[in-house]
Amino acid sequence: LNVPKIKDVKIHSDFWSRYISLVGNVVVPYQWEILNDKIEGVEKSSAIRNFKIAAGLEQGDFYGMVFQDSDVYKWLEAASYVLEANYNEDLDRKVNEVIDLIEKAQWEDGYINTYFTIKEPQNRWTNLQECHELYCAGHLIEAAVAYYLATGNDRLLNIARKFADHINNVFGPDEGKLKGYPGHQEIELALIKLYEVTKDERYLNLARYFIEERGKEPYYFDIEWEKRGRTEHWPGLIRNFGREYAQTHLPVRKQKEAVGHAVRATYMYSAMADIARITKDEELLETCKALFKDIVTRKMYITGGIGASAHGESFSFEYDLPNDRAYAETCASVGLIFFAHRMFLVDHNSYYYDVIEQILYNNIIGSMSLDGRSYFYVNPLEVIPKACEKRWDTQHVKVPRQRWFGCACCPPNVARLLSSIGKYIYAYSENELYVNLYISNEYEVDIGENKVKIILNSDYPFGDNVLLRINVKNPLAFDLKLRIPKWCVEYKVFVNGKEENNYKKEKEYVVINKTWKNNDEIFLNLITLPKRVKSHPRVKDNIGKVAIMKGPILFCLEEVDNGPNLHELFISKDSRLEIKFEEQILNGLYVVYADGYRIDEEDFGKELYREDYEYKLLPVKLKFIPYYAWANRGKNEMRVWINEI
Amino acid sequence: LNVPKIKDVKIHSDFWSRYISLVGNVVVPYQWEILNDKIEGVEKSSAIRNFKIAAGLEQGDFYGMVFQDSDVYKWLEAASYVLEANYNEDLDRKVNEVIDLIEKAQWEDGYINTYFTIKEPQNRWTNLQECHELYCAGHLIEAAVAYYLATGNDRLLNIARKFADHINNVFGPDEGKLKGYPGHQEIELALIKLYEVTKDERYLNLARYFIEERGKEPYYFDIEWEKRGRTEHWPGLIRNFGREYAQTHLPVRKQKEAVGHAVRATYMYSAMADIARITKDEELLETCKALFKDIVTRKMYITGGIGASAHGESFSFEYDLPNDRAYAETCASVGLIFFAHRMFLVDHNSYYYDVIEQILYNNIIGSMSLDGRSYFYVNPLEVIPKACEKRWDTQHVKVPRQRWFGCACCPPNVARLLSSIGKYIYAYSENELYVNLYISNEYEVDIGENKVKIILNSDYPFGDNVLLRINVKNPLAFDLKLRIPKWCVEYKVFVNGKEENNYKKEKEYVVINKTWKNNDEIFLNLITLPKRVKSHPRVKDNIGKVAIMKGPILFCLEEVDNGPNLHELFISKDSRLEIKFEEQILNGLYVVYADGYRIDEEDFGKELYREDYEYKLLPVKLKFIPYYAWANRGKNEMRVWINEI
């Protein structure tokens, strides 16, 4: 299956255009200012300055995390997507300024990393476990591929290839090469992108090498540690997290449970899925399926967040999904979308897109404030601001969103995802077109040799209507594959105004095989209703509680609408869930009203414990807003899972 | 009011005699072996060896915590109580061996502390905030008073007085003296004990000085920190916890909320209550009442545990009482008993004893294994062993109990409390006798000038019967004040077989004013029933849940009786709570049976989330055991608060 080019998908969804233009008009420019240290009162970045110093253009010391370069690369990647969708000279000029710096910071042999160039040039490649050189290289390669695909300009691509060639000379199975692999996976999926653009198989092979070498004995990270005299970049931290942290506890094919750092994990699984697809490696595909299933059926919050433990930003054990202490790092959700998308490309199942939708509409867009200027790194499902201040075990939860972070991986990761969202809407081959996300857009694609234009208008998931118009020069036969999201309670398909019942259903796709004529119109009626959702009984914090969803949209209660102490509220089992659009709230939101109760504190009195007492319940109207819109009205309580009575 | 001497109260309660003889026959001897490093496979103590080194009898280095000496002193105190109740020569010989060592380790000027003597003799009194010199001195004084009261032997008392005199020369308001106070409160209450034994007012005044100086500006702990060149004994730890940690954030009279390290807090409040009583300081008493109320009505687990946060072993904010992450340090509960007892002595209210009973029957005896050989430092209300291993935020919960600790404050603290439990049963004055705990015993006391013997037989709280016989030589008038515990649903008083209705009720005491004749018999029928208890609705983790209590006895579910995943169990609202004694379980326990349900996991299926689903409930019989007996049948799940349906 092929993935659309971003430039070929013109999104005109009211809902998504707002986010995309926010990325183009606010997020990318704002992050540019931050990378250049021009915003007061936020965490200093120094990321561009580090490049200037490494390039010999400025004097000074390196500042920031050892992986600070990756902020620049992720920005470049997002900027490239913005350029691809909507070229603008000013942004391209900024991108080229950065490319100039990267070029100048590149060593003769191809190596690039500002931390090592400035601080420890003699120690290149001596601490793969902790120092993120290959991780940063991966983000450079992703940015280079993105910029090349966006503009056709191969300047950055050549820089990246030269670095990749250097890495290929340093690492690999051949005698004299290092037998290492990254401490933070990322370069594997990047090398595959580089392979797909250049068709140079060395990059694919190097990616496979990094994947297959991982978890073997003797343990490379001990070998390099001994070799460098047992020094640590982060003393007592990364090495102490143990081998599961970076998924080096087993050879990857033996890994059947998702463990350790959730971003490292999903980036690696993404590369594994790519390799399984490209090399038709069935065993590796089965491994990927097992890992995906483990995440989605045992370790994923209903928001699409993953990584339940702040300790090592990692997966916790099965069904351990506390709401208040969730880590659910934004980047990990981005990583899970990468993984799910690649699984779809090899397995063609709607199931993967159910997960993508769930993540996208909740954890991803919820991580950003509605003005695009502040972000969550950690995405909890229950917040009591006082607990975040006072309790050590919820101090990683920062409310409301922050403007920037010392470790600023998440905001640019969201930017690069949202600016490339068009890629996720469709997939196609010689004789088929998958429609996966019902985001209004116009798309031009070659099916076989023939140009096809799709005009998609949809109000899904808030409404039920999807209208597709097909423009072709000459009638053309292909399979139109329409995804039926799992939350549809009912659906109908109409072709040119007539209900169509003569279709196959494959892996939750309606497959319409037809010779399409110009202006053929397909109407898809996808009915989703507000629903109570329960979680698996093993999830101990959710017993007796429900969450409200409509389609992929998760709702939550906020203090500003429902008063404080949200845990004292109950939703009535027999209440209707009334959804309506309210214009006056945050520029317009769909909200859900339900009947419920609030415990009468007065009636309980002042003692801490009472015998033989029933709480007195006072009827209240509960008001839920979409989770993605929470924490946009000041610091206040929020709750996804609500008691049911 | 006067407190009984331990030797005057001969306990013959089956229930309590077991604990007391465990302390005498197992705990104290076992701890002696540990203090002498004679037990393999437990945390090394070195506490006695440190004294040998400080005394010049051995070569070597100090080992252990800076407050390691206090383990020896707490052991001495417990041993003294054991001796007082039941003299035995072998134990007294061991005690005197230790006294020899302490004497030899004492400096010419009276100073004693093995850490400073061995490691930093030049730095005495330079780091009160972190280094526990005054804390250890306090425990020495408590031990000395205990040994003197037990045996009349004043050897250790003289050593302690010499040290106290030295401290009085070093600290105080006079010119040239240090204006400091302890970083860990303890010496204040010890000095008051020393004052009460010696009647030397300097000790009372010094205690008051330490209390009143606390929290004043300029901040002494900054002054000494500057003076010693900003060094830290525990870098980044204690100083970083902030001023609330050691209750130095405000002058004590302005403190109305219990905050910070829970042991430090309760030890300090105990001294404050003593001072309020002795000096008739109404303002200080009001402060104590406010603090006590804050703890008991907002910050105390139903087990009597306090300190909801592992971070700084401290109180969390009001109503923040998570069950799985509880800290509820054993020592803090001991401290709260000290505080409650002293509050009773000044305020004469049964309310304080309700709290003492609740702590004693649950957190205190539950902290020790039934064989007396292993202990909880942390006392959770909900345990999933896998979470304790895997989650960083429950790693402080160690199950099952451990044999000893690197920081071994708790086991000797329990030992000294249990071995002195007789002191808590009664209180008396010239013309009144309070009966506070219904623990079977014989007690000889002088009421006024007259010898009175009380023979108390009781099966409370498991049974309902309390029988008191009074032996007097000549008829004697005094008020007999019988405490009516708050959990009594009904009570009746019979005097010599006839129901007595002609009594006053004062602060939940039945006050029988009568001229007592020899062999007068009072029968008290105190009916307690198994009850469902709910917590204040602000306690968010307990919504929808109940705990089962009978009188002060809290019950819990264990996996060994009820299967795994205890959170999937529900107790039925209309179930009878059937209590019965079962001989075959842990040598006999009262257990509670109730009807309930278990969620059918199979019916839910393998997905993580389901729309519009109701859990299928399978009927089960629930079996509760007393909380104090949990974790005596291997590592397994435990739960106090159970879902109700």
Side-chain angles (χ1 to χ4, degrees):
Chain A
L1 285 181
N2 301 304
V3 174
K5 290 180 186 149
I6 293 165
K7 66 180 98 193
D8 293 341
V9 185
K10 306 285 182 205
I11 291 170
H12 60 253
S13 147
D14 285 348
F15 186 83
W16 285 101
S17 294
R18 213 186 59 74
Y19 284 100
I20 293 165
S21 76
L22 217 50
V23 171
N25 299 328
V26 177
V27 181
V28 166
Y30 179 70
Q31 291 181 356
W32 172 252
E33 299 293 303
I34 282 175
L35 295 175
N36 282 282
D37 304 312
K38 288 186 178 157
I39 308 272
E40 298 278 316
V42 302
E43 285 275 353
K44 182 177 154 187
S45 163
S46 195
I48 294 288
R49 186 162 179 268
N50 292 339
F51 273 98
K52 288 181 180 161
I53 296 165
L57 303 173
E58 270 193 32
Q59 296 292 311
D61 201 2
F62 177 90
Y63 177 89
M65 299 282 179
V66 70
F67 49 80
Q68 207 79 349
D69 292 358
S70 64
D71 290 352
V72 173
Y73 300 145
K74 278 194 276 191
W75 179 85
L76 276 177
E77 190 185 339
S80 299
Y81 298 146
V82 169
L83 287 173
E84 183 173 344
N86 231 323
Y87 185 78
N88 88 73
E89 255 180 41
D90 176 59
L91 181 59
D92 198 13
R93 193 180 41 71
K94 285 172 182 156
V95 167
N96 274 279
E97 273 176 34
V98 181
I99 296 175
D100 288 343
L101 290 176
I102 297 171
E103 196 167 38
K104 291 203 179 83
Q106 186 165 36
W107 292 38
E108 198 59 43
D109 63 6
Y111 181 86
I112 314 175
N113 183 293
T114 72
Y115 172 83
F116 281 94
T117 301
I118 298 168
K119 289 187 83 83
E120 305 186 36
Q122 73 286 7
N123 291 332
R124 296 175 2 172
W125 310 125
T126 59
N127 189 346
L128 298 181
Q129 183 174 20
E130 297 178 282
C131 287
H132 292 69
E133 284 159 291
L134 291 170
Y135 169 84
C136 288
H139 278 301
L140 169 59
I141 293 167
E142 285 201 89
V145 169
Y147 186 64
Y148 171 72
L149 292 175
T151 61
N153 179 329
D154 64 2
R155 273 186 75 202
L156 191 58
L157 189 69
N158 290 333
I159 293 169
R161 289 191 73 162
K162 188 173 168 190
F163 192 9
D165 294 345
H166 170 68
I167 293 167
N168 193 49
N169 290 334
V170 172
F171 295 94
D174 310 331
E175 175 108 21
K177 290 187 179 180
L178 294 177
K179 302 292 169 285
Y181 41 80
H184 191 315
Q185 303 92 312
E186 149 65 24
I187 195 171
E188 301 87 341
L189 71 85
L191 284 167
I192 293 160
K193 286 186 174 181
L194 190 59
Y195 157 73
E196 292 193 313
V197 163
T198 63
K199 304 296 173 203
D200 185 335
E201 295 216 343
R202 291 179 309 148
Y203 304 136
L204 174 62
N205 291 335
L206 184 57
R208 286 172 75 181
Y209 176 77
F210 283 143
I211 291 289
E212 300 287 359
E213 196 63 20
R214 200 164 200 89
K216 286 194 182 162
E217 292 294 339
Y219 187 47
Y220 185 79
F221 293 157
D222 280 350
I223 294 169
E224 63 165 15
W225 176 64
E226 293 288 353
K227 211 157 132 190
R228 69 175 181 264
R230 302 188 170 204
T231 60
E232 289 181 58
H233 183 81
W234 277 304
L237 195 69
I238 287 189
R239 281 191 58 84
N240 286 24
F241 282 142
R243 293 195 188 182
E244 290 190 347
Y245 174 69
Q247 297 80 36
T248 54
H249 57 301
L250 285 172
V252 297
R253 287 167 193 273
K254 300 214 164 136
Q255 298 188 19
K256 304 289 170 184
E257 284 200 40
V259 295
H261 188 266
V263 178
R264 283 169 167 80
T266 48
Y267 284 11
M268 179 175 85
Y269 305 156
S270 296
M272 287 160 62
D274 277 340
I275 292 168
R277 173 176 52 83
I278 295 166
T279 67
K280 300 188 174 27
D281 185 332
E282 283 298 325
E283 186 194 65
L284 196 58
L285 181 60
E286 286 311 307
T287 303
C288 290
K289 283 183 179 175
L291 291 165
F292 193 83
K293 189 174 170 195
D294 182 52
I295 294 173
V296 171
T297 65
R298 308 205 303 169
K299 296 173 181 169
M300 188 179 80
Y301 286 102
I302 196 169
T303 53
I306 54 171
S309 173
H311 185 73
E313 307 180 311
S314 66
F315 287 106
S316 185
F317 61 95
E318 62 280 8
Y319 300 113
D320 182 47
L321 294 165
N323 296 308
D324 53 350
R325 291 167 285 155
Y327 202 72
E329 183 183 342
T330 307
C331 287
S333 283
V334 172
L336 185 53
I337 288 181
F338 293 162
F339 181 29
H341 185 224
R342 284 161 172 85
M343 288 303 289
F344 163 76
L345 292 176
V346 55
D347 199 27
H348 307 180
N349 198 315
S350 168
Y351 167 60
Y352 300 106
Y353 264 95
D354 292 335
V355 175
I356 289 173
E357 259 190 3
Q358 191 166 353
I359 304 169
L360 207 51
Y361 280 97
N362 301 301
N363 209 40
I364 294 294
I365 60 176
S367 75
M368 200 165 84
S369 62
L370 291 175
D371 65 4
R373 286 178 200 274
S374 56
Y375 307 89
F376 284 129
Y377 189 113
V378 162
N379 297 276
L381 285 82
E382 177 186 323
V383 164
I384 295 174
K386 194 164 189 174
C388 301
E389 285 157 29
K390 296 262 182 184
R391 280 202 70 88
W392 98 105
D393 47 13
T394 44
Q395 278 184 350
H396 57 282
V397 177
K398 304 290 182 201
V399 282
R401 294 172 187 81
Q402 295 183 279
R403 294 182 68 198
W404 199 250
F405 301 89
C407 171
C409 48
C410 297
N413 229 344
V414 171
R416 70 183 180 133
L417 177 71
L418 291 179
S419 56
S420 63
I421 198 72
K423 289 201 306 178
Y424 296 88
I425 299 177
Y426 300 98
Y428 66 99
S429 68
E430 294 262 299
N431 54 7
E432 62 188 342
L433 178 70
Y434 282 90
V435 188
N436 282 316
L437 297 177
Y438 297 111
I439 295 175
S440 301
N441 74 92
E442 291 189 20
Y443 176 42
E444 290 187 324
V445 57
D446 292 347
I447 304 282
E449 311 267 284
N450 305 280
K451 289 222 172 307
V452 178
K453 183 172 181 181
I454 307 287
I455 301 154
L456 189 160
N457 282 295
S458 160
D459 58 7
Y460 172 89
F462 300 104
D464 307 330
N465 310 298
V466 177
L467 188 68
L468 284 121
R469 181 184 299 271
I470 294 178
N471 286 173
V472 281
K473 245 191 186 147
N474 301 308
L476 180 66
F478 63 89
D479 283 357
L480 184 66
K481 299 192 168 182
L482 301 171
R483 173 174 161 258
I484 306 303
K486 74 168 178 190
W487 12 73
C488 282
V489 292
E490 204 191 318
Y491 64 90
K492 284 181 182 157
V493 189
F494 298 83
V495 176
N496 296 324
K498 240 182 63 192
E499 185 164 358
E500 176 76 49
N501 292 307
N502 184 24
Y503 54 77
K504 278 185 298 179
K505 188 92 179 277
E506 268 177 24
K507 297 178 174 181
E508 296 308 312
Y509 286 90
V510 163
V511 180
I512 311 179
N513 175 261
K514 193 171 133 64
T515 298
W516 300 99
K517 299 187 305 296
N518 197 32
N519 281 325
D520 272 353
E521 220 173 56
I522 303 98
F523 176 68
L524 183 60
N525 188 214
L526 287 177
I527 298 177
T528 62
L529 298 172
K531 293 276 187 185
R532 288 165 172 76
V533 180
K534 282 217 170 59
S535 57
H536 192 284
R538 284 284 182 92
V539 183
K540 80 177 170 81
D541 290 5
N542 295 346
I543 296 292
K545 303 194 182 102
V546 292
I548 305 301
M549 290 185 88
K550 179 184 190 291
I553 304 284
L554 175 69
F555 288 79
C556 67
L557 297 175
E558 271 199 308
E559 181 181 353
V560 64
D561 300 312
N562 298 282
N565 301 308
L566 298 175
H567 70 274
E568 295 181 355
L569 295 172
F570 289 80
I571 185 170
S572 169
K573 275 191 197 209
D574 49 18
S575 167
R576 209 165 81 80
L577 301 175
E578 185 195 0
I579 190 160
K580 59 180 180 183
F581 187 76
E582 290 194 355
E583 276 189 32
Q584 74 286 8
I585 176 171
L586 292 168
N587 297 319
L589 283 182
Y590 280 90
V591 300
V592 172
Y593 285 95
D595 297 324
Y597 301 94
R598 177 179 274 281
I599 298 173
D600 185 354
E601 281 187 13
E602 293 273 313
D603 187 70
F604 188 90
K606 296 288 183 196
E607 290 302 308
L608 192 45
Y609 302 105
R610 284 189 66 175
E611 284 182 356
D612 284 343
Y613 174 84
E614 280 292 332
Y615 294 122
K616 185 175 161 199
L617 297 176
L618 307 172
V620 290
K621 199 62 151 176
L622 302 173
K623 179 175 182 177
F624 296 82
I625 64 163
Y627 177 81
Y628 68 74
W630 82 278
N632 279 289
R633 292 172 294 169
K635 191 190 280 195
N636 79 142
E637 282 186 36
M638 182 277 290
R639 195 171 181 90
V640 166
W641 290 97
I642 175 160
N643 306 306
E644 191 190 42
I645 196 163
Chain B
L1 284 181
N2 302 304
V3 173
K5 289 179 187 147
I6 292 164
K7 65 179 98 192
D8 293 340
V9 185
K10 306 286 181 205
I11 290 170
H12 59 254
S13 147
D14 286 346
F15 187 82
W16 285 101
S17 294
R18 213 185 60 74
Y19 284 101
I20 293 164
S21 76
L22 217 49
V23 170
N25 300 327
V26 178
V27 180
V28 166
Y30 179 70
Q31 291 181 357
W32 172 252
E33 298 293 303
I34 283 175
L35 295 175
N36 282 282
D37 303 311
K38 288 185 179 159
I39 308 273
E40 298 278 316
V42 302
E43 286 275 353
K44 183 177 155 186
S45 163
S46 195
I48 294 288
R49 186 162 179 269
N50 291 338
F51 273 98
K52 289 182 180 162
I53 297 165
L57 302 173
E58 271 192 31
Q59 296 292 311
D61 201 3
F62 178 90
Y63 177 89
M65 298 281 179
V66 71
F67 49 80
Q68 206 80 350
D69 291 358
S70 63
D71 290 351
V72 173
Y73 300 144
K74 278 194 277 190
W75 178 85
L76 278 176
E77 190 184 340
S80 300
Y81 299 145
V82 169
L83 287 174
E84 184 173 345
N86 231 323
Y87 184 78
N88 89 74
E89 255 179 41
D90 176 59
L91 181 59
D92 198 14
R93 193 180 41 72
K94 285 173 183 156
V95 167
N96 274 278
E97 274 175 34
V98 181
I99 297 175
D100 288 341
L101 291 176
I102 297 171
E103 196 167 39
K104 291 205 179 82
Q106 186 164 36
W107 291 37
E108 198 59 45
D109 63 5
Y111 182 87
I112 314 175
N113 183 293
T114 72
Y115 173 83
F116 281 94
T117 301
I118 299 168
K119 290 187 84 84
E120 304 186 36
Q122 73 286 7
N123 291 333
R124 296 176 359 172
W125 310 127
T126 59
N127 189 346
L128 298 182
Q129 183 173 21
E130 297 178 283
C131 288
H132 291 68
E133 284 159 292
L134 290 170
Y135 169 84
C136 289
H139 278 301
L140 169 59
I141 293 166
E142 285 201 89
V145 170
Y147 186 65
Y148 171 72
L149 292 176
T151 62
N153 180 329
D154 64 2
R155 275 185 74 202
L156 192 58
L157 189 69
N158 291 333
I159 294 169
R161 289 190 75 161
K162 189 173 168 191
F163 192 10
D165 293 345
H166 169 68
I167 293 168
N168 193 49
N169 289 334
V170 172
F171 296 94
D174 309 331
E175 176 108 20
K177 291 188 180 179
L178 294 176
K179 302 292 169 284
Y181 41 81
H184 191 315
Q185 303 92 312
E186 148 65 22
I187 196 171
E188 301 88 341
L189 71 85
L191 285 167
I192 293 160
K193 285 187 176 182
L194 190 59
Y195 157 73
E196 293 194 314
V197 163
T198 63
K199 304 296 173 202
D200 185 335
E201 295 216 343
R202 291 178 310 148
Y203 304 136
L204 174 62
N205 290 335
L206 184 57
R208 288 172 75 181
Y209 177 77
F210 284 144
I211 290 289
E212 300 287 359
E213 196 63 21
R214 200 165 199 88
K216 286 194 182 161
E217 294 291 340
Y219 186 47
Y220 185 80
F221 292 157
D222 279 350
I223 294 169
E224 62 165 15
W225 176 64
E226 294 287 355
K227 212 157 129 191
R228 68 174 181 267
R230 302 190 169 202
T231 59
E232 289 181 58
H233 183 80
W234 277 305
L237 195 69
I238 287 190
R239 281 192 58 84
N240 286 24
F241 282 142
R243 294 195 188 182
E244 289 191 348
Y245 174 69
Q247 297 79 36
T248 54
H249 57 301
L250 286 172
V252 298
R253 286 166 194 274
K254 300 215 163 135
Q255 298 186 21
K256 304 288 170 185
E257 284 200 40
V259 296
H261 188 266
V263 178
R264 283 170 168 79
T266 49
Y267 284 10
M268 179 175 84
Y269 306 155
S270 297
M272 287 160 62
D274 277 339
I275 292 168
R277 173 175 53 84
I278 295 166
T279 67
K280 301 190 173 24
D281 184 331
E282 283 298 326
E283 185 193 65
L284 197 57
L285 181 60
E286 287 310 309
T287 302
C288 289
K289 283 183 179 175
L291 290 165
F292 192 83
K293 189 174 170 195
D294 182 52
I295 294 173
V296 171
T297 64
R298 307 205 304 169
K299 295 173 181 169
M300 188 178 80
Y301 286 102
I302 194 168
T303 53
I306 53 171
S309 174
H311 186 73
E313 307 180 312
S314 65
F315 287 106
S316 185
F317 61 95
E318 63 281 8
Y319 301 112
D320 182 46
L321 294 165
N323 297 308
D324 54 349
R325 290 167 286 155
Y327 201 72
E329 184 183 342
T330 307
C331 287
S333 284
V334 172
L336 185 54
I337 288 181
F338 292 163
F339 181 30
H341 185 224
R342 285 160 171 84
M343 288 304 288
F344 163 76
L345 292 176
V346 54
D347 199 27
H348 307 180
N349 199 315
S350 167
Y351 167 59
Y352 301 107
Y353 264 95
D354 293 335
V355 174
I356 289 173
E357 259 190 3
Q358 191 166 355
I359 304 169
L360 207 50
Y361 281 97
N362 302 301
N363 209 37
I364 293 295
I365 59 175
S367 75
M368 200 164 83
S369 62
L370 291 175
D371 65 4
R373 288 179 197 274
S374 56
Y375 307 88
F376 285 128
Y377 190 112
V378 163
N379 297 277
L381 286 81
E382 176 186 322
V383 164
I384 295 174
K386 194 164 190 174
C388 301
E389 286 157 30
K390 296 263 183 183
R391 280 202 70 89
W392 97 106
D393 46 13
T394 44
Q395 279 183 349
H396 57 282
V397 178
K398 304 290 183 203
V399 282
R401 294 171 187 81
Q402 295 183 279
R403 295 182 68 198
W404 199 249
F405 302 89
C407 172
C409 49
C410 298
N413 229 344
V414 171
R416 69 182 180 133
L417 178 71
L418 292 179
S419 55
S420 63
I421 198 73
K423 289 202 304 180
Y424 297 88
I425 299 177
Y426 300 99
Y428 66 99
S429 69
E430 295 262 300
N431 55 6
E432 61 186 344
L433 178 70
Y434 282 90
V435 188
N436 281 317
L437 297 176
Y438 297 111
I439 295 175
S440 301
N441 74 91
E442 290 188 21
Y443 176 42
E444 290 186 323
V445 59
D446 293 346
I447 304 284
E449 313 267 287
N450 304 281
K451 289 223 172 307
V452 177
K453 183 173 179 180
I454 307 288
I455 301 154
L456 190 159
N457 283 295
S458 158
D459 57 7
Y460 173 90
F462 301 104
D464 306 332
N465 308 298
V466 178
L467 187 68
L468 284 122
R469 182 184 299 270
I470 295 179
N471 286 173
V472 282
K473 246 191 185 150
N474 302 308
L476 179 67
F478 62 89
D479 285 356
L480 183 67
K481 299 192 168 180
L482 302 170
R483 172 174 161 258
I484 306 303
K486 74 168 178 190
W487 13 75
C488 281
V489 292
E490 205 190 318
Y491 65 91
K492 284 181 182 158
V493 189
F494 298 83
V495 177
N496 296 325
K498 241 183 62 192
E499 186 164 358
E500 176 76 51
N501 292 306
N502 185 24
Y503 55 76
K504 277 186 298 177
K505 188 92 179 278
E506 267 178 25
K507 296 178 174 179
E508 297 308 313
Y509 286 90
V510 163
V511 180
I512 311 180
N513 177 262
K514 194 172 134 57
T515 299
W516 299 99
K517 299 185 305 294
N518 197 34
N519 281 325
D520 272 354
E521 220 174 56
I522 303 99
F523 176 69
L524 183 61
N525 189 214
L526 286 176
I527 298 177
T528 62
L529 297 172
K531 293 275 187 184
R532 288 168 172 75
V533 180
K534 282 218 169 59
S535 58
H536 193 285
R538 282 284 181 91
V539 183
K540 81 178 170 81
D541 289 5
N542 296 346
I543 296 293
K545 303 195 182 99
V546 292
I548 305 300
M549 290 184 90
K550 179 185 189 289
I553 305 284
L554 176 69
F555 288 79
C556 67
L557 297 175
E558 270 199 309
E559 180 180 354
V560 65
D561 299 312
N562 298 282
N565 301 309
L566 298 174
H567 70 274
E568 295 181 355
L569 295 172
F570 289 80
I571 185 169
S572 169
K573 275 191 196 208
D574 49 19
S575 168
R576 208 164 82 79
L577 301 175
E578 185 194 0
I579 190 161
K580 60 179 179 184
F581 187 76
E582 290 194 355
E583 277 190 30
Q584 73 285 9
I585 177 171
L586 291 168
N587 297 320
L589 283 182
Y590 281 90
V591 300
V592 172
Y593 286 94
D595 297 323
Y597 301 93
R598 178 179 274 282
I599 298 174
D600 185 354
E601 281 188 12
E602 292 274 312
D603 188 70
F604 188 91
K606 296 288 182 197
E607 291 302 310
L608 192 45
Y609 303 105
R610 284 189 65 175
E611 284 183 356
D612 284 343
Y613 174 84
E614 280 293 331
Y615 293 122
K616 185 176 161 198
L617 296 176
L618 307 172
V620 290
K621 198 64 148 173
L622 303 173
K623 179 176 183 175
F624 296 81
I625 65 162
Y627 177 81
Y628 68 74
W630 82 279
N632 279 289
R633 291 172 293 168
K635 191 190 278 193
N636 79 143
E637 283 187 36
M638 183 277 291
R639 195 173 180 89
V640 166
W641 290 96
I642 174 161
N643 307 306
E644 192 189 43
I645 197 163

